[in-house]
Amino acid sequence: MAAPATETSSPEEIPDLEKNASHAERAQWVLNAPEPPSPWHELIDSVTDTVLPCGNKFLSLKNQPGPELVVSFLQGVFPILVWCRSYTATKFKNDLLAGLTISSLCIPQSIGYATLAKLDPQYGLYTSVVPPLIYAAMGTSREIAIGPVAVVSLLLPSMIQQLQDPVADPISYTKLVLTATFFAGIFQAAFGILRLGFLVDFLSHAAIVGFVAGAAIVIGLQQLKGLLGISHFTTKTDIISVLESVWRAIHHHWDPHNFILGCAFLSFILIARFLAKKKRRLFWLPAIAPLLSVILSTLIVFLTRADEHGIKIVKHIKGGINPSSVHQLQLNGPYVGEVAKVGLIVAVVALTEAIAVGRSFASIRGYHLDGNKEMVAMGFMNIIGSFTSCYVATGSFSRSAVNFSAGCETLVSNIVMAITVIISLQLFTRLLYYTPLAILASIILSALPGLIDLNEAYNIWKIDKFDFLTCIAAFFGVLFASVEIGLLVAVGISFAKIVLISIRPGTETLGRIPGTDMFCDINQYPMAAKTPGVVIIRVKSALLCFANANIIVERTMRWVTEEAEDTKGNAKRTIQLVVLDTSSLMDIDTSGIASLRELHKNLTSHGMEFAIASPRWQVIHKLRLANFVSKIGGNVFLTVGEAVDASLGAKRATIQA
């Protein structure tokens, strides 16, 4: 390294001195940066940004009158107070049409999903009333349609029936479902308020594709109970148990009338969907096809008294608006711990589906969806839903797609849907007494093809084989074990991938791109030129910690040795400086600092200097606290280019930490 600048420089050296002064000044910017915020302040800022409309800017309003503070706070919690001011009659017309359209799909689907969740049919309708109203006030997605969905309706009974048999004691089973809904809402709200959305990301896109496809097949197989009119059916969800149950039933007790009726209306629904794809003007046809199927099949059964000839029907559906269920929550029961675990799993799955649906339509419409506010809205709607006889609700992709196609403008379409369901609960539940169970099975079956995305699975295979392993592990886990096992396997593989990347991070040797000040990987850019006497290594990891520190040190020393010794054994290259580019490094722990000390010691023993370039805020702060900056002689630079320039002869001002 060059000696520090002196005061007796010649006029020819003035430009270099000015350049060196600039380097020194920029290095001081790195070293004298203010302390980063503490974890406590980061938590406070996170909560503020989530709850308040303007984040930390809201605190600047503290000197404003009280009413303005209240209004600003309420607008942050309830976005409806913001967009309702610009609401017009034209928007209401579009929302009214969209709301009525999704209502025609929502009512039969809600009844079907409630039976899938092993609840009485009215609970599906209840879940299509209160949660959509709460979300309309607190949510930020304009197109999402809230209500019960197939995957969650399968997930709940698959876990809760291990605690309570829904057939032997349906009342206790229902109480546990409502309690799980309460816990799911608590977890979802906590994820949003505490900015813990990364926990949802552990269920990766590949895992979701495999999990949903496996769940779709399991749901489809379970609908054979209603489609074939089977009375005794397995409570297990794996494909082997379901197929065995179907095989036994076919050889003993099943009714072909149920099968014929269900297949006929399933064909009608699928044909309606096919026609809508051919002619976009018929977008409303597949939306009302399920409701028409319910009406027509109910009339057929009623007029022909087919229920007396083997057709299984829904029978009684309790009418009226949602009753209070606060007294049914089992917060002190013997299964509260297990139910809380169920709530956590369901919360993650429901959030993942809802946010994926919301973001897909937000990207089409060109607006931003606040993920944390979505989590808070989902959490509160499920908390309040558990108080009003609702089970876990989330965003439905099929109903959201219909809502979007129908031209919805705002969340008023959800309000219209909820009001329509309320009217149905008050007036029409008695008319559904003769609705065949086979029709509900056919409605659920018609929604399943959209859950199996073969093209996306193929794309995952092409792009990332490790992700594809996660995808098929989730798929086969759900199919041959259980829903929760499939989830755990998918999350386990995703977590193992993260750990593997963390403990074996990538490192790369950098060279200067000709004609620029950019330094890039010499393997990716073969034209990048190495700097004589300098080895530049970049750590491709966000964290230098106990899990990967020793590997990075060993790899760095090996590369330095390889650079110093010609691979042909004919000569040696003199290495004067090793630069560690930490631009990708977001944080470092004590093990990481200890490894840097060891690296510096090894380099010094070989007559080499050590420098750090582009350190992030937390990294340089911890290195200063550990006195590591002074140990390496202040060799800290703002960029890799400045570190290289210093090694090439530009006189550098020695910086004391």
Side-chain angles (χ1 to χ4, degrees):
M1 300 291 289
T6 63
E7 296 181 0
T8 58
S9 302
S10 62
E12 290 80 5
E13 295 175 325
I14 291 177
D16 288 336
L17 289 174
E18 290 178 352
K19 184 177 181 181
N20 261 328
S22 178
H23 287 174
E25 183 180 1
R26 286 195 288 272
Q28 287 288 355
W29 296 345
V30 177
L31 294 173
N32 297 328
E35 289 192 10
S38 66
W40 174 250
H41 281 91
E42 289 183 347
L43 177 61
I44 295 297
D45 290 343
S46 172
V47 174
T48 302
D49 289 340
T50 302
V51 176
L52 302 181
C54 303
N56 288 325
K57 293 181 181 179
F58 178 81
L59 300 177
S60 63
L61 300 174
K62 62 183 179 180
N63 295 326
Q64 298 296 322
E68 293 186 13
L69 288 174
V70 173
V71 170
S72 184
F73 175 80
L74 291 177
Q75 288 178 345
V77 177
F78 303 104
I80 190 173
L81 298 177
V82 177
W83 56 260
C84 72
R85 291 180 296 181
S86 58
Y87 199 67
T88 62
T90 302
K91 289 183 178 180
F92 176 72
K93 177 183 175 182
N94 294 333
D95 286 336
L96 179 62
L97 174 62
L100 293 174
T101 304
I102 58 175
S103 298
S104 64
L105 178 62
C106 165
I107 293 172
Q109 276 193 352
S110 297
I111 296 173
Y113 291 151
T115 59
L116 179 62
K118 301 189 186 304
L119 296 168
D120 292 334
Q122 66 268 17
Y123 285 97
L125 296 173
Y126 293 158
T127 306
S128 297
V129 174
V130 174
L133 293 176
I134 302 300
Y135 183 84
M138 301 184 67
T140 57
S141 173
R142 303 169 194 166
E143 297 81 19
I144 198 168
I146 299 296
V149 297
V151 174
V152 172
S153 299
L154 171 68
L155 189 58
L156 279 169
S158 69
M159 293 184 288
I160 294 181
Q161 68 185 5
Q162 299 173 11
L163 308 175
Q164 191 69 61
D165 189 344
V167 177
D169 192 352
I171 296 177
S172 297
Y173 171 81
T174 302
K175 291 179 179 179
L176 292 184
V177 170
L178 295 174
T179 306
T181 301
F182 173 78
F183 280 116
I186 292 292
F187 284 120
Q188 289 173 333
F191 290 162
I193 293 173
L194 302 179
R195 298 268 173 153
L196 298 177
F198 68 90
L199 294 175
V200 178
D201 294 333
F202 273 108
L203 204 57
S204 64
H205 172 67
I208 287 294
V209 171
F211 169 74
V212 170
I217 294 176
V218 170
I219 292 169
L221 290 173
Q222 289 201 337
Q223 297 316 300
L224 294 177
K225 175 185 178 181
L227 201 62
L228 299 175
I230 301 172
S231 300
H232 302 288
F233 202 73
T234 180
T235 58
K236 297 180 180 179
T237 59
D238 64 282
I239 187 172
I240 303 298
S241 300
V242 173
L243 289 178
E244 286 180 351
S245 183
V246 172
W247 182 257
R248 287 195 301 267
I250 288 177
H251 286 76
H252 294 87
H253 306 288
W254 73 287
D255 193 307
H257 298 95
N258 289 279
F259 182 74
I260 294 171
L261 185 65
C263 288
F265 281 98
L266 176 61
S267 300
F268 168 68
I269 296 172
L270 294 178
I271 291 172
R273 188 173 299 168
F274 175 78
L275 293 175
K277 287 183 178 180
K278 290 293 184 180
K279 295 184 179 181
R280 292 188 176 274
R281 291 178 299 176
L282 299 177
F283 70 89
W284 50 269
L285 186 57
I288 67 169
L291 184 60
L292 286 176
S293 299
V294 169
I295 295 172
L296 293 175
S297 63
T298 302
L299 284 174
I300 291 172
V301 173
F302 175 74
L303 295 175
T304 62
R305 297 297 177 183
D307 58 307
E308 298 176 359
H309 302 283
I311 295 291
K312 295 187 178 299
I313 58 176
V314 173
K315 297 184 179 179
H316 178 68
I317 297 180
K318 184 179 179 181
I321 60 174
N322 299 40
S324 173
S325 57
V326 176
H327 61 284
Q328 297 187 53
L329 300 182
Q330 303 292 297
L331 301 179
N332 296 318
Y335 302 118
V336 64
E338 295 297 323
V339 174
K341 293 177 185 177
V342 173
L344 175 60
I345 295 173
V346 173
V348 172
V349 173
L351 277 179
T352 303
E353 181 171 356
I355 292 177
V357 171
R359 284 177 176 169
S360 64
F361 289 108
S363 63
I364 295 173
R365 287 281 179 91
Y367 67 91
H368 173 69
L369 191 71
D370 191 325
N372 287 294
K373 285 190 176 181
E374 284 295 288
M375 293 178 190
V376 173
M378 294 281 173
F380 276 99
M381 79 178 189
N382 280 316
I383 292 172
I384 298 174
S386 69
F387 299 157
T388 54
S389 302
C390 305
Y391 73 99
V392 179
T394 188
S396 165
F397 188 83
S398 60
R399 292 194 295 274
S400 298
V402 172
N403 197 28
F404 175 79
S405 300
C408 72
E409 297 279 353
T410 67
L411 286 166
V412 170
S413 61
N414 273 264
I415 298 175
V416 173
M417 178 189 73
I419 293 173
T420 305
V421 176
I422 291 174
I423 295 172
S424 300
L425 279 167
Q426 292 281 40
L427 303 178
F428 303 128
T429 52
R430 292 183 180 179
L431 302 179
L432 298 175
Y433 182 92
Y434 289 98
T435 300
L437 292 177
I439 296 305
L440 300 181
S442 66
I443 290 171
I444 295 175
L445 284 169
S446 69
L448 299 182
L451 299 179
I452 303 175
D453 196 340
L454 296 178
N455 289 331
E456 187 60 29
Y458 177 67
N459 288 334
I460 293 171
W461 162 258
K462 286 196 304 182
I463 296 170
D464 192 322
K465 300 300 187 291
F466 206 112
D467 265 1
F468 184 74
L469 176 62
T470 304
C471 179
I472 61 172
F475 177 77
F476 287 115
V478 171
L479 213 56
F480 291 100
S482 65
V483 176
E484 58 268 32
I485 292 297
L487 276 176
L488 290 174
V489 170
V491 172
I493 293 178
S494 299
F495 188 73
K497 179 182 179 181
I498 295 172
V499 172
L500 186 62
I501 293 173
S502 299
I503 63 177
R504 297 195 64 83
T507 52
E508 55 191 19
T509 302
L510 306 184
R512 188 194 295 266
I513 301 295
T516 71
D517 289 329
M518 296 176 60
F519 290 80
C520 301
D521 182 9
I522 59 174
N523 293 320
Q524 183 179 359
Y525 299 94
M527 74 290 298
K530 295 181 180 179
T531 303
V534 180
V535 174
I536 309 166
I537 296 175
R538 176 188 290 154
V539 180
K540 296 191 295 183
S541 175
L543 178 63
L544 184 61
C545 62
F546 65 93
N548 59 21
N550 290 331
I551 293 176
I552 291 175
V553 170
E554 293 172 2
R555 193 175 295 173
T556 301
M557 287 304 303
R558 185 173 68 247
W559 280 15
V560 170
T561 302
E562 291 174 356
E563 290 289 334
E565 298 178 0
D566 194 340
T567 55
K568 297 181 180 180
N570 297 328
K572 289 186 177 182
R573 176 188 174 197
T574 302
I575 305 299
Q576 299 174 343
L577 175 67
V578 175
V579 179
L580 189 67
D581 180 4
T582 60
S583 57
S584 301
L585 202 61
M586 302 302 297
D587 207 348
I588 189 171
D589 68 0
T590 54
S591 298
I593 295 173
S595 69
L596 291 182
R597 286 198 180 100
E598 180 185 350
L599 177 61
H600 175 249
K601 182 179 179 181
N602 292 338
L603 294 175
T604 302
S605 66
H606 288 79
M608 305 175 195
E609 289 194 56
F610 181 57
I612 293 177
S614 307
R616 296 299 184 100
W617 200 2
Q618 290 285 355
V619 174
I620 190 61
H621 175 66
K622 291 183 179 180
L623 292 179
R624 288 178 59 192
L625 292 177
N627 295 320
F628 183 75
V629 175
S630 59
K631 192 174 184 65
I632 63 175
N635 290 341
V636 178
F637 298 90
L638 188 62
T639 65
V640 173
E642 292 184 1
V644 172
D645 290 343
S647 72
L648 291 176
K651 298 177 181 179
R652 177 181 55 82
T654 303
I655 304 168
Q656 301 297 330

